[in-house]
Amino acid sequence: MKTKTAALIPLIALIAACSSITPGNDLTVVNAERATQLALDTFNLIEKTEYDVYPALKLTNPTVAGEIRTFVNKIRTESPTWLLSARDLTKAYKSNRSAANKADLDTAVAVLTQATAEAVKYIALMAQTKAH
Amino acid sequence: MATAALIALIESLVPVIQNIIDWINKAKASAAQSAEWTPEQEAAVDAAIAKLDLNPEVWQKSQPL
């Protein structure tokens, strides 16, 4: 499972950074905004998917259901802080594009990217388990 | 599997698949973003983040996809 997540992280990072940007815009800011939007949409998707799937999943595969519920609870309680941190650091970087602010923003984006990759892995797992 | 049970299973998958399709379209839109957000876009995202609720029922039922 960890291997699958590790494989997804570059993919998610690629989604968040795969297209070129309009001249005059800052790639660091655009990538941070892409990662923030993707994380927000993905966290919403996993919350809704788990809500739809959990009753059936608990009956058919309680171990997987428990593992997914633990992760979804972590997203529910911690992701608002992660997202707010990314937004605050994006704004801080836009007002002062220093190397230190860029490093802080890159760290916040990495946290979002890791959590997004893990969420995608669990969404795929739920879809597969539900279909069987 | 009886036809009725099969239909029920497939029907139960529809909202999950639809949500995933919506997510794919949003992921494509995020990937295609080529400029920094406008102030309006920033405000919309900040408002969405501010609305996130730690209560599972509230989040799972009310957050817009």
Side-chain angles (χ1 to χ4, degrees), chain B residues 15-40:
Chain B
V16 174
I17 293 168
Q18 187 58 56
N19 284 344
I20 291 173
I21 290 169
D22 291 344
W23 176 84
I24 289 169
N25 289 331
K26 288 183 175 184
K28 284 180 181 174
S30 291
Q33 179 189 340
S34 63
E36 295 174 25
W37 283 336
T38 63
E40 291 77 16

Side-chain angles (χ1 to χ4, degrees), chain A residues 75-132:
Chain A
I75 291 292
R76 189 178 297 125
T77 54
E78 297 185 28
S79 70
T81 305
W82 300 335
L83 289 161
L84 278 174
S85 176
R87 289 296 300 136
D88 288 346
L89 291 168
T90 301
K91 291 169 188 171
Y93 175 74
K94 284 177 80 170
S95 66
N96 175 9
R97 298 176 196 242
S98 66
N101 281 352
K102 181 180 184 307
D104 288 344
L105 178 55
D106 286 344
T107 301
V109 168
V111 169
L112 286 181
T113 302
Q114 161 79 33
T116 300
E118 210 164 345
V120 169
K121 177 195 72 176
Y122 280 116
I123 291 163
L125 183 63
M126 281 189 276
Q128 287 168 12
T129 307
K130 173 98 176 174
H132 289 154

Side-chain angles (χ1 to χ4, degrees), chain A residues 19 22 33-34 42 51 87, chain B residues 23 31 33-34 42 46 61:
Chain A
S19 61
T22 305
E33 290 173 346
R34 287 171 178 161
T42 306
Y51 185 80
R87 289 296 300 136
Chain B
W23 176 84
Q33 179 189 340
S34 63
E42 285 201 68
D46 287 341
K61 285 183 178 175

